[in-house]
Amino acid sequence: MFEIQNGLTFVISIALFAAKGFALVDCVARPAAKFTYIETLPKQTWLIILVLAVLAHLVMWNPLSLLNLVGTVAALVYLAQVRGSDAR
């Protein structure tokens, strides 16, 4: 029973870490002018938020810890707001 729970937690943790890493790489690669064009937080602010989210995930691997949940929400907001603006 606990093997299934531990395995599921590990898979969720890997998926959330990949989402945070993808958001960070996308933020580094995106030009700063794009952030002002879509009227969101500046690139430097997003970089700080996403780096802290990835570092918090590396320190506390549990996906349900408070810092990991906050980091996941931040990464998903970035992906929806900044990366999602490419679809418009």
Side-chain angles (χ1 to χ4, degrees):
M1 177 73 172
F2 289 114
E3 296 85 20
I4 295 171
Q5 181 179 0
N6 289 338
L8 186 60
T9 302
F10 181 72
V11 168
I12 291 171
S13 187
I14 292 291
L16 294 180
F17 183 73
K20 292 173 190 172
F22 178 74
L24 179 61
V25 169
D26 183 73
C27 185
V28 168
R30 191 169 298 275
K34 179 73 172 177
F35 292 86
T36 57
Y37 175 71
I38 61 172
E39 299 176 354
T40 184
L41 294 172
K43 180 176 181 171
Q44 294 80 11
T45 305
W46 277 118
L47 282 172
I48 291 169
I49 292 170
L50 294 173
V51 164
L52 289 176
V54 169
L55 288 177
H57 197 101
L58 286 173
V59 171
M60 293 170 282
W61 198 247
N62 181 9
L64 296 178
S65 69
L66 182 60
L67 285 177
N68 276 339
L69 289 175
V70 169
T72 299
V73 169
L76 293 176
V77 166
Y78 170 83
L79 290 172
Q81 187 177 32
V82 178
R83 181 149 172 94
S85 69
D86 289 341
R88 294 181 202 170

